[in-house]
Amino acid sequence: MSLWVDKYRPNSLTKLDYHKAQALHLKNMVQQGDFPHLLVYGPSGAGKKTRIFCLLRELYGPGVERLRLEHMNIQTPSNKKIDITTVSSNYHLEVNPSDAGFHDRVVIQELIKTVAQTHQLDPSGQREFKVVVICEADCLTKDAQHALRRTMEKYVATCRIILVANTISRVIPAIRSRCLGVRVGAPNKEEIINILQSVCRKEGLSLPNELAERIAVQSNGNLRRAILFLETCKVQQYPFQPDQKVASHDWEIYLKDTAKMIVLEQSPQKLLQIRSRLYELMIHGIPSEIIFKGLLQELVKNCDMQLKTQIVEKAAFFEHRIHLGSKPIIHLEAFVASFMAIYKKFMEATVADLF
Amino acid sequence: MACKSSWISTCFDKNESNKMSDIDSQRKLPHRDGVQRFNGSFTKEKVMTKDWLKEFAPKTPSDLLVSKPKLDQLNSWLQKASKTVGEASMLLITGPPGVGKSTALEVLTAMKNIQLVEWESSVDIDNSELAGSRNSTQSQAGKFEAFLMNSGRYISVLEIREGMKKLILVREFPNILILHPNLLQDILRRYHVMGRIPIVFSLPEQTEGSGGMFPKQFLEELNIHQISFNKVSDKSVMKALKRICMLNTGCDVPSAEVLEKIVGSVHGDIRSAVLQLYYECMQNKSRTREQHSALSTEQASHKKRNHITKPSTLPVGSSRKNSVNVCKKQLPANKTSQELESVGKDIQLPIFQRVGRLLYPKKSEEDAEFLAHDPEDIVAQTLSHPRKLFHMVLENYLKVFRDMNDSCRAIRYASDSDTMMSEFQERELTLPMALSTMTRGFMTCKSLVKRKWTPLTNQEYFTVIQRTRAVREKIIDIDPRYILVPRDAAMDILPIIYTGLSSRLDSYPYTNKICDISGIEAELTGQAEGRSNLQPALFTVTDSTSEIKVSSRKMLMVGKSWEKNMKDEERMTGTPYEIQESESDDENKISEEHVDAWIEDDIDFLDNFHHF
Amino acid sequence: MQAFLKTGKLSGGQGSSSTTKEKSCSSGVSKKKPSLTPWVEKYRPQTVNDVVEQNDVVQVMRQCLNGADLPNLLFYGPPGTGKTSTILAAARQLFGDIYKDRILELNASDERGIQVIREKVKSFAQFSASSIRPDGRPCPPFKIVILDEADSMTPAAQAALRRTMERESRTTRFCLVCNYVSRIIPPITSRCSKFRFKPLGSELIRERLQLICSEEKVSCGEDAMKCLVETSGGDLRRAITCLQSCSRLKGPGIEIHADDVQEVAGVVPVQWVNGMLEVCHHNNYEMLTEFVDRLMQEGYCVAQLVEQLHEVIVFDNNMTDQQKSLICDKLGVCSFRMQDGGNEYIGLLDLGCTIIRTMKT
């Protein structure tokens, strides 16, 4: 049982559907027997993890597919116990240290130390190093990144690190310069359509090109989302209709509606309602920056250029604050409140001009 | 097994030891201090050295500050319990600290000649010795159960002969039982079957719903009677203080003004009221002495005699000597400000009031340019639990603010404050600054509007944490591949395979289009029979706004009764927030502490989750 | 004690990393997989004379090699200008084979609290060094403690270091290596001879790269070489790492192109940088969002883009100084926010809006 997006995930570098030149380069590199630390970056749903997985398979063979889930217990210097979930095979280990929040530094140090100090049990193993995949590396605290930079050098003999990040602006230059950056851009529309078609072929379905195109447009370059959309379309209605509705995720609709509500009325009471909706989104794990982005996109629609500039400026200001502070909701709310104040003033001025 | 061996060996001794430690503990248990006190014959010189709490503890039901109906309830339960044969009755008394829960019980039991046996969970060397080497590792829960079984099932021969009845009083529980109410409930269930002696539980608070130690179903299951005491009204506190003043002729008594201050500051906690009175009297006494020494020797000697024999400084005292009168007049004149300080020194404003002051800033009476309450006071009192105030203000400010610009400014201050507060490395420095920014910002940025009472709530953040955790767990449940990328999982995978959780959410559109992963699977494998139990139209997304229900979160923890009560009070006092929550406020106090504890616990968690 | 032992062991590991460097330098050819050695290590200058461009320090080092006493040293300057290489080369020349016994390399790692420094340095400096090498040749009678990345030490640790430096001055010389001298507390700087390392000139980098290319048999086109030099910004280490990564990615024997270099160096292609300015000229918010969207999908590093944008704007002839300063102000803010983790999309929009507004005036 698995979703199509997992079922039809390519498992070798040669089978990747796009950025083929890059795939070839990676293959070259692996075939030389060694590679430096990698920093794989690109937008969400562009296939970073897939690429890494293919790379690992190329490196270690099918053994990396035998994954197991492990919980590690790590104790911080302040005696706080942290539970960290890792996914590992005999050859590699995946971890998301940002799970541990402020303690991610300890996780990085301890984990990599453990991995690096345990030598490969199997002497016939082809490689003398293990690979640690660090997910969401852009969410690491600066502290952890500094620790990482050291750890990377210290254990370079027994352990290679692959960092996965959505954006490398947040990765400190010291790490960037120690890694080979691998940029995985989002596939373009044609590539997505091709992939959707090939998925449907493998499923034995026929996909009208119009529908594929609309799915591709709606997914906005996110391949995972495109395939998920395709699958929900299939659940919804098959055979496909060219004019079939493509359902976007409900949180996106919810977010859009929230923005619409903000434009309709500006008052503290409304803001109260908006807050509970924002909370609702956050509860469901929608990152606050995505909420920010979604709100911004929707809110500026009815504004003139000057207003837009103001609003974007506010958004940038408060979005930055999220990363400085500890309660995203406050800054989100502050942004919405700012918008409301600006917009209300603007509307009142417009109305006054009319009469 | 463990408890069995211990009761065989030690049951009688244990009772003794318990009683002993009870006496040792400086509690105000009147019946233990012997008969003399009932005769009321104590000498004046001794007064100052005694514990006033014990000294002036109520002796008769009429002295108690508990409201009549509650007292009657307690009385009738005691009567019933002592008659009941067979299964043990249980009673749960709840109420805010210092209202006299235990005192009431003690007074009544003393009258009925019932012996109280109290459980003490503090680690007690005697206990572990008694338990013997084999059982030295016995858990606190085990000890608790053993205690109940020992004292609850057997009545010593001596006691029977004297016709004494017994009652077990439990005022504290071993920590393990607080953490795991299930264990406690199991123990009590067993006791319910085996025990014979009635038990009274006296708890400061009782949480509503299932969260507490005694959930409603459980109370019903074991037929536990519950009496919840209310906060003592200011009038009653005053009455009690006056009574003490009457009884206590050993020293000067503060003026009525001071008494009022005391009453005003304790918020219905009679225990702290008595302590403050004691403190005041001590001060009075020393001051009086100083003043006396300043007087001429002749007068002083005259007065001293007077002072010792009859220092009739009762506010209502009629026959006063001249010198005393002089003294009395001087005192309030130069003392008032000090008195205020001394009384106000230890006041910790309840969080509700602090939030109230923040959201409804009052201008100073003398000068409208200034605030009536110093923001720094609030800051100083909040330093230990900054987040709580933070959350409460944030949750409530929008209900109070009327103007969009004001709200915008206020939240901007909150945003600044949060940024500062997150500066962990210089926490000692930034925390007061952050709080000050927040407090002053909120107190000054509001243009004056009509005050309208809105109940303060403080559960929103907690609810959010809980639900976030639920979603988080959901992520863990899905394909392991996505565990490490919660961001992606929450945005793409969860909305697709959303299942059980959504049924609990009433405000999120997820609810409308549950898609069971099994549904997809069934579709994939083409199992027709699996289709029957799928929801029809799995993904009927309609983008009309109307379909999305506006969140109707039931986060108001303040019950309606309190709200009503508040309004009444508001009429009387004119200030919406400085209200003494008196009668029928059972609900508002509910889980302030609990929520706080949860919040502090969960902060790391939530912050991390949102930090991705 | 336990902790000390532990860290001591770790430092051994750390030290051994420098010793492996050494080994691979001396016997790099005989190794089974020569490609495994980072070229940066392989082509580290072996003698002080090999150090390029840093004349002052080279001169002092030469004197020291000729028997003069070595002062405490403070090397500062941008990364990749040869700070660590210089001191390592000097140590190697000074001590010869026993060089690894005579130096202690401490990095700005987790284990650099005050306590650790004191203990480690103490135990290291405890035994006085003889002035004769095992092979009978003379060598200076001291040891060298190299504190890499010293600017990331806390002021408290630095203050502690001050005392240590004084106490151990008989047997030990300190060499502090850092990027920003302003982060070193004055009491320390006054105890050291300071040397500023200048960014390397492009000709020197090119020379060095060409040497490596011919050694490693990498075919590197002229445009690629130019690109390498440009992107390095005077950082030789970066240039060499980039070259090695390119050659590994492409596989042996295949020519490296400028595109590959750009990709590996993480440089945003020029058309995107200019595109950003161009799209701002249209004074159209929708076009801006569309452009930003496409850029985000490509996954380029926006912080890098901002940096490159800065270059372009500063040297733009069509803008007034007023406009430039306004835009640069925003560039700074954006860069700062993104370092803190700010969203790239919103930041870039903000930047775009500012440029549009400034262009209009």
Side-chain angles (χ1 to χ4, degrees):
Chain A
M1 171 211 99
S2 66
L3 296 166
W4 289 355
V5 69
D6 297 324
K7 200 168 163 189
Y8 298 111
R9 198 183 285 275
N11 61 2
S12 103
L13 284 170
T14 45
K15 282 190 201 151
L16 288 170
D17 296 285
Y18 52 96
H19 300 326
K20 280 177 184 290
Q22 186 189 52
L24 189 70
H25 287 168
L26 291 173
K27 199 174 158 75
N28 275 339
M29 195 177 66
V30 172
Q31 278 172 349
Q32 288 174 41
D34 185 27
F35 63 88
H37 302 302
L38 294 184
L39 171 56
V40 182
Y41 62 100
S44 166
K48 298 182 290 294
K49 288 285 281 271
T50 307
R51 218 154 271 255
I52 291 170
F53 188 70
C54 295
L55 181 82
L56 290 173
R57 201 170 181 279
E58 187 76 35
L59 195 61
Y60 295 113
V64 287
E65 284 169 21
R66 282 198 300 274
L67 294 174
R68 55 182 183 269
L69 202 63
E70 274 172 16
H71 297 277
M72 291 188 79
N73 254 313
I74 289 166
Q75 199 157 16
T76 67
S78 57
N79 272 338
K80 194 178 169 183
K81 283 225 171 73
I82 310 172
D83 265 330
I84 279 288
T85 313
T86 60
V87 174
S88 58
S89 73
N90 286 334
Y91 308 99
H92 84 293
L93 178 131
E94 283 179 54
V95 66
N96 183 352
S98 45
D99 272 348
F102 302 115
H103 304 292
D104 51 0
R105 185 178 65 91
V106 190
V107 172
I108 290 219
Q109 286 172 342
E110 293 299 317
L111 201 77
I112 296 180
K113 207 193 272 178
T114 337
V115 172
Q117 286 175 350
T118 17
H119 292 278
Q120 208 89 30
L121 274 177
D122 181 11
S124 66
Q126 310 102 307
R127 310 288 168 194
E128 54 209 359
F129 55 85
K130 275 189 168 189
V131 173
V132 176
V133 180
I134 295 179
C135 303
E136 299 189 349
D138 42 351
C139 297
L140 291 176
T141 58
K142 290 274 146 69
D143 218 16
Q145 295 192 26
H146 280 291
L148 188 61
R149 130 200 203 179
R150 213 60 248 159
T151 323
M152 279 169 127
E153 292 188 344
K154 206 169 14 184
Y155 299 113
V156 73
T158 48
C159 157
R160 294 289 180 281
I161 294 167
I162 300 182
L163 297 159
V164 191
N166 276 6
T167 145
I168 54 168
S169 297
R170 288 171 201 171
V171 181
I172 57 171
I175 292 204
R176 265 190 260 165
S177 77
R178 280 168 174 78
C179 295
L180 172 58
V182 178
R183 183 176 60 86
V184 183
N188 62 29
K189 205 171 83 181
E190 286 68 38
E191 284 161 344
I192 293 185
I193 293 174
N194 281 340
I195 292 165
L196 292 180
Q197 289 290 9
S198 85
V199 166
C200 280
R201 264 198 308 279
K202 284 175 197 156
E203 279 291 318
L205 309 168
S206 79
L207 175 68
N209 235 339
E210 292 91 334
L211 182 63
E213 189 166 337
R214 276 193 299 120
I215 292 177
V217 168
Q218 193 153 358
S219 66
N220 202 13
N222 187 332
L223 182 61
R224 170 178 47 236
R225 203 168 287 179
I227 298 177
L228 286 169
F229 283 160
L230 177 70
E231 192 170 358
T232 49
C233 282
K234 158 74 173 56
V235 174
Q236 224 168 25
Q237 187 181 20
Y238 188 79
F240 291 122
Q241 300 298 314
D243 56 347
Q244 195 175 342
K245 230 169 130 39
V246 181
S248 50
H249 287 325
D250 35 17
W251 61 264
E252 284 183 318
I253 298 165
Y254 192 76
L255 187 56
K256 270 198 179 126
D257 288 333
T258 311
K260 280 179 196 147
M261 282 167 71
I262 298 172
V263 177
L264 278 181
E265 188 194 329
Q266 295 87 35
S267 71
Q269 287 65 45
K270 201 70 191 174
L271 186 54
L272 196 62
Q273 284 177 24
I274 301 296
R275 180 207 292 160
S276 63
R277 291 178 71 99
L278 294 178
Y279 261 141
E280 208 62 54
L281 284 164
M282 295 171 86
I283 283 168
H284 289 85
I286 310 301
S288 44
E289 58 181 306
I290 300 291
I291 303 181
F292 246 110
K293 193 173 156 186
L295 282 181
L296 180 67
Q297 279 171 341
E298 209 58 29
L299 289 180
V300 292
K301 274 189 179 159
N302 297 327
C303 304
D304 65 1
M305 192 58 208
Q306 199 217 342
L307 215 54
K308 275 175 178 151
T309 314
Q310 273 186 50
I311 293 163
V312 170
E313 206 174 335
K314 288 274 180 223
F317 177 82
F318 286 113
E319 203 278 329
H320 173 227
R321 283 253 166 126
I322 286 187
H323 304 280
L324 298 181
S326 55
K327 294 183 190 57
I329 187 74
I330 295 174
H331 309 291
L332 268 171
E333 194 172 314
F335 168 59
V336 175
S338 299
F339 172 82
M340 281 181 163
I342 296 173
Y343 194 72
K344 199 173 180 191
K345 207 165 127 203
F346 168 72
M347 289 310 276
E348 278 164 4
T350 322
V351 171
D353 282 351
L354 283 179
F355 296 106
Chain B
M1 191 52 208
C3 60
K4 202 173 174 189
S5 57
S6 78
W7 65 251
I8 290 173
S9 59
T10 63
C11 67
F12 298 112
D13 297 348
K14 203 163 181 176
N15 280 345
E16 289 304 318
S17 78
N18 262 311
K19 265 191 279 176
M20 292 291 286
S21 56
D22 263 357
I23 292 164
D24 291 343
S25 68
Q26 294 278 319
R27 296 280 196 165
K28 34 163 189 163
L29 304 179
H31 66 283
R32 304 242 170 78
D33 269 8
V35 197
Q36 290 105 323
R37 285 225 344 250
F38 283 88
N39 302 336
S41 64
F42 40 80
T43 51
K44 282 147 203 163
E45 276 72 23
K46 264 189 176 170
V47 167
M48 297 313 289
T49 63
K50 285 216 169 184
D51 180 359
W52 281 29
L53 285 176
K54 268 186 197 167
E55 204 53 55
F56 302 112
K59 278 109 207 166
T60 61
S62 60
D63 284 347
L64 288 170
L65 300 180
V66 182
S67 65
K68 189 84 173 87
K70 303 276 178 190
L71 210 58
D72 288 344
Q73 274 183 41
L74 184 59
N75 219 342
S76 64
W77 181 84
L78 279 174
Q79 227 135 34
K80 219 172 75 196
S82 56
K83 278 180 195 142
T84 313
V85 189
E87 63 181 25
S89 357
M90 300 187 196
L91 173 71
L92 174 65
I93 307 179
T94 58
V99 298
K101 297 180 292 291
S102 316
T103 317
L105 190 67
E106 281 150 11
V107 169
L108 292 185
T109 48
M111 278 175 58
K112 293 182 192 305
N113 199 18
I114 301 175
Q115 182 203 2
L116 270 182
V117 181
E118 192 183 343
W119 159 253
E120 295 211 2
S121 55
S122 49
V123 183
D124 168 357
I125 300 151
D126 287 352
N127 257 357
S128 56
E129 274 173 10
L130 286 170
S133 54
R134 264 192 308 158
N135 300 320
S136 54
T137 53
Q138 194 180 9
S139 69
Q140 279 285 322
K143 283 182 191 166
F144 180 69
E145 183 165 5
F147 163 77
L148 284 189
M149 295 306 176
N150 290 340
S151 20
R153 293 171 59 197
Y154 303 97
I155 300 173
S156 77
V157 185
L158 285 167
E159 284 158 356
I160 287 174
R161 197 181 54 202
E162 284 172 17
M164 288 271 276
K165 285 173 196 145
K166 236 164 76 167
L167 188 64
I168 300 179
L169 173 62
V170 179
R171 286 202 292 202
E172 49 186 355
F173 293 95
N175 287 336
I176 178 84
L177 298 182
I178 297 173
L179 288 175
H180 306 283
N182 299 348
L183 285 177
L184 173 70
Q185 289 166 14
D186 288 344
I187 293 177
L188 292 185
R189 274 190 196 106
R190 284 198 286 278
Y191 183 78
H192 189 66
V193 179
M194 299 164 77
R196 302 230 298 274
I197 311 284
I199 304 188
V200 179
F201 304 97
S202 167
L203 292 179
E205 308 290 347
Q206 165 69 339
T207 349
E208 286 297 304
S210 54
M213 296 168 65
F214 291 94
K216 273 224 154 59
Q217 309 96 295
F218 181 67
L219 288 179
E220 280 160 19
E221 181 192 332
L222 291 197
N223 200 12
I224 301 178
H225 194 74
Q226 185 183 0
I227 303 177
S228 44
F229 285 18
N230 296 322
K231 198 164 219 168
V232 182
S233 70
D234 285 1
K235 252 194 293 178
S236 322
V237 176
M238 182 59 105
K239 200 181 94 188
L241 292 186
K242 286 202 173 134
R243 180 177 68 88
I244 293 174
C245 291
M246 295 286 285
L247 286 174
N248 172 23
T249 45
C251 69
D252 277 343
V253 164
S255 62
E257 197 187 329
V258 177
L259 284 185
E260 252 166 48
K261 281 284 167 205
I262 296 177
V263 170
S265 67
V266 297
H267 308 298
D269 184 342
I270 183 71
R271 189 154 41 204
S272 79
V274 173
L275 288 175
Q276 282 205 7
L277 180 70
Y278 176 68
Y279 176 66
E280 273 307 306
C281 288
M282 292 301 284
Q283 276 199 330
N284 252 1
K285 195 174 178 186
S286 58
R287 276 207 199 88
T288 325
R289 277 212 194 103
E290 280 164 30
Q291 298 217 345
H292 290 169
S293 60
L295 294 172
S296 70
T297 43
E298 179 198 343
Q299 264 181 316
S301 62
H302 172 68
K303 242 193 63 66
K304 224 164 206 166
R305 214 181 326 122
N306 218 332
H307 179 68
I308 294 162
T309 48
K310 189 159 177 72
S312 58
T313 43
L314 287 172
V316 282
S318 48
S319 66
R320 282 194 192 122
K321 294 260 159 93
N322 234 356
S323 57
V324 181
N325 252 342
V326 170
C327 183
K328 252 301 175 206
K329 256 177 203 159
Q330 279 172 346
L331 270 180
N334 61 7
K335 239 190 81 182
T336 317
S337 59
Q338 284 173 314
E339 273 171 353
L340 299 191
E341 260 175 45
S342 70
V343 171
K345 195 157 53 186
D346 283 314
I347 306 175
Q348 181 78 20
L349 281 181
I351 182 98
F352 281 95
Q353 281 197 20
R354 267 178 277 154
V355 174
R357 286 201 175 161
L358 234 154
L359 293 183
Y360 300 92
K362 252 202 316 193
K363 298 286 180 202
S364 162
E365 279 165 22
E366 295 98 52
D367 189 345
E369 287 290 300
F370 291 98
L371 293 164
H373 304 289
D374 187 358
E376 293 307 317
D377 282 351
I378 300 179
V379 173
Q381 292 192 10
T382 313
L383 282 176
S384 55
H385 294 284
R387 293 177 190 276
K388 191 168 159 189
L389 181 89
F390 207 90
H391 292 146
M392 268 192 84
V393 169
L394 277 182
E395 191 175 330
N396 292 293
Y397 84 103
L398 284 175
K399 298 171 194 159
V400 175
F401 279 57
R402 289 286 167 273
D403 183 60
M404 200 56 234
N405 283 326
D406 287 344
S407 319
C408 178
R409 280 175 66 196
I411 187 76
R412 176 72 196 272
Y413 283 119
S415 165
D416 293 344
S417 178
D418 177 52
T419 316
M420 285 189 242
M421 226 188 256
S422 309
E423 196 60 52
F424 280 102
Q425 297 196 326
E426 305 287 341
R427 200 162 166 75
E428 289 80 21
L429 194 68
T430 53
L431 185 62
M433 270 161 57
L435 278 172
S436 187
T437 310
M438 167 109 171
T439 321
R440 286 170 186 273
F442 271 81
M443 284 172 94
T444 51
C445 76
K446 197 168 70 151
S447 44
L448 271 180
V449 286
K450 208 176 76 212
R451 287 203 185 111
K452 178 169 160 280
W453 176 251
T454 338
L456 297 178
T457 60
N458 73 351
Q459 236 178 357
E460 188 180 49
Y461 197 70
F462 171 60
T463 325
V464 170
I465 289 168
Q466 273 202 325
R467 293 182 45 202
T468 310
R469 176 172 290 173
V471 175
R472 183 72 188 221
E473 272 160 14
K474 215 66 202 168
I475 296 178
I476 292 172
D477 279 351
I478 59 176
D479 193 321
R481 219 186 293 257
Y482 294 102
I483 288 175
L484 298 177
V485 281
R487 212 162 31 175
D488 295 344
M491 281 162 63
D492 286 336
I493 308 297
L494 270 195
I496 299 294
I497 56 167
Y498 228 72
T499 47
L501 188 74
S502 50
S503 59
R504 269 184 269 149
L505 313 171
D506 52 354
S507 53
Y508 203 60
Y510 281 166
T511 326
N512 300 333
K513 343 156 214 150
I514 300 163
C515 172
D516 202 325
I517 180 73
S518 60
I520 292 180
E521 187 189 7
E523 292 287 337
L524 287 172
T525 51
Q527 290 168 341
E529 63 273 19
R531 220 166 288 183
S532 55
N533 40 13
L534 295 180
Q535 278 95 345
L538 291 171
F539 273 79
T540 52
V541 182
T542 51
D543 45 3
S544 65
T545 334
S546 62
E547 203 190 320
I548 296 154
K549 288 173 251 160
V550 175
S551 160
S552 61
R553 198 192 294 268
K554 292 192 183 73
M555 58 206 167
L556 304 188
M557 62 170 300
V558 180
K560 275 182 191 143
S561 55
W562 189 50
E563 194 179 332
K564 181 180 129 280
N565 190 49
M566 281 304 214
K567 278 179 183 151
D568 293 346
E569 289 275 351
E570 191 186 344
R571 263 208 315 280
M572 281 152 54
T573 57
T575 52
Y577 51 88
E578 288 193 340
I579 294 163
Q580 307 302 318
E581 306 119 30
S582 50
E583 306 291 328
S584 73
D585 55 355
D586 302 344
E587 281 158 275
N588 75 332
K589 297 285 290 175
I590 297 167
S591 47
E592 202 181 303
E593 277 84 14
H594 293 254
V595 171
D596 196 32
W598 285 327
I599 285 177
E600 294 294 337
D601 275 359
D602 286 23
I603 271 169
D604 275 357
F605 171 77
L606 188 77
D607 288 349
N608 298 342
F609 191 58
H610 284 160
H611 252 295
F612 356 100
Chain C
M1 196 59 201
Q2 194 67 33
F4 168 70
L5 284 174
K6 204 171 158 197
T7 48
K9 192 171 126 214
L10 284 178
S11 89
Q14 211 171 293
S16 77
S17 79
S18 63
T19 53
T20 48
K21 282 175 206 166
E22 157 72 350
K23 259 185 221 150
S24 59
C25 288
S26 52
S27 60
V29 197
S30 66
K31 256 206 149 180
K32 196 178 68 187
K33 290 179 197 163
S35 68
L36 290 190
T37 333
W39 292 352
V40 181
E41 301 296 344
K42 198 166 165 186
Y43 295 99
R44 237 186 228 289
Q46 296 296 308
T47 66
V48 172
N49 290 333
D50 288 350
V51 176
V52 287
E53 190 102 341
Q54 319 295 353
N55 295 326
D56 301 349
V57 70
V58 169
Q59 206 146 15
V60 170
M61 284 298 169
R62 265 196 216 123
Q63 278 176 13
C64 183
L65 286 175
N66 293 334
D69 189 27
L70 187 73
N72 285 328
L73 297 167
L74 173 60
F75 291 173
Y76 65 98
T81 48
K83 298 182 293 295
T84 316
S85 301
T86 306
I87 188 66
L88 285 177
R92 200 172 292 128
Q93 279 183 285
L94 280 172
F95 304 119
D97 295 338
I98 55 164
Y99 121 99
K100 70 174 178 182
D101 300 326
R102 288 294 182 91
I103 64 166
L104 172 68
E105 210 183 346
L106 289 172
N107 287 301
S109 58
D110 32 325
E111 63 234 27
R112 220 165 59 171
I114 304 171
Q115 202 56 34
V116 176
I117 289 214
R118 275 194 192 137
E119 301 240 323
K120 270 194 185 172
V121 171
K122 207 173 160 190
S123 65
F124 174 71
Q126 210 164 28
F127 305 104
S128 55
S130 80
S131 57
I132 302 166
R133 285 193 207 172
D135 57 6
R137 287 163 60 195
C139 76
F142 52 75
K143 305 177 176 187
I144 298 180
V145 175
I146 302 172
L147 285 166
D148 217 340
E149 294 156 31
D151 43 0
S152 62
M153 284 167 78
T154 60
Q158 292 186 27
L161 186 64
R162 188 181 57 179
R163 289 278 304 119
T164 319
M165 277 170 86
E166 272 172 9
R167 208 174 42 229
E168 315 292 352
S169 61
R170 203 172 47 83
T171 53
T172 312
R173 297 292 176 274
F174 283 81
C175 178
L176 280 72
V177 178
C178 65
N179 293 121
Y180 304 100
V181 75
S182 54
R183 287 193 201 150
I184 305 290
I185 58 172
I188 298 252
T189 51
S190 75
R191 281 169 173 75
C192 302
S193 342
K194 285 180 282 186
F195 295 101
R196 193 179 107 83
F197 281 66
K198 297 180 282 292
L200 302 178
S202 44
E203 267 316 303
L204 282 166
I205 294 185
R206 179 185 290 264
E207 232 171 69
R208 199 83 195 157
L209 288 177
Q210 267 160 356
L211 174 84
I212 295 172
C213 280
S214 59
E215 284 276 319
E216 295 287 336
K217 299 182 183 57
V218 177
S219 64
C220 181
E222 188 47 39
D223 54 339
M225 186 58 82
K226 195 168 154 240
C227 193
L228 270 173
V229 173
E230 270 170 16
T231 54
S232 70
D235 182 341
L236 186 57
R237 176 171 51 197
R238 189 168 163 197
I240 296 177
T241 317
C242 188
L243 180 67
Q244 188 180 16
S245 300
C246 287
S247 83
R248 270 198 193 157
L249 279 179
K250 296 290 278 194
I254 299 167
E255 188 178 332
I256 295 166
H257 296 289
D259 299 355
D260 308 319
V261 176
Q262 278 197 336
E263 188 63 48
V264 168
V267 178
V268 181
V270 186
Q271 64 263 30
W272 285 100
V273 182
N274 292 333
M276 177 81 189
L277 285 178
E278 217 166 90
V279 85
C280 289
H281 272 296
H282 288 291
N283 190 14
N284 184 325
Y285 185 83
E286 277 65 41
M287 282 176 77
L288 177 67
T289 44
E290 204 224 298
F291 176 83
V292 173
D293 258 336
R294 274 193 297 135
L295 185 71
M296 299 306 297
Q297 285 195 10
E298 284 301 317
Y300 286 113
C301 172
V302 179
Q304 177 70 31
L305 176 76
V306 168
E307 231 164 79
Q308 289 176 252
L309 213 52
H310 174 251
E311 297 273 292
V312 174
I313 283 168
V314 167
F315 295 109
D316 191 322
N317 292 324
N318 299 327
M319 276 191 237
T320 64
D321 282 351
Q322 170 82 10
Q323 284 174 328
K324 281 182 185 176
S325 67
L326 280 173
I327 295 175
C328 285
D329 182 33
K330 194 52 145 191
L331 282 171
V333 171
C334 280
S335 174
F336 165 67
R337 284 182 183 155
M338 278 171 210
Q339 286 245 322
D340 272 342
N343 186 275
E344 295 181 328
Y345 175 86
I346 297 174
L348 212 50
L349 270 186
D350 187 22
L351 179 63
C353 283
T354 310
I355 298 178
I356 289 178
R357 205 175 47 199
T358 330
M359 299 279 213
K360 268 200 301 189
T361 52

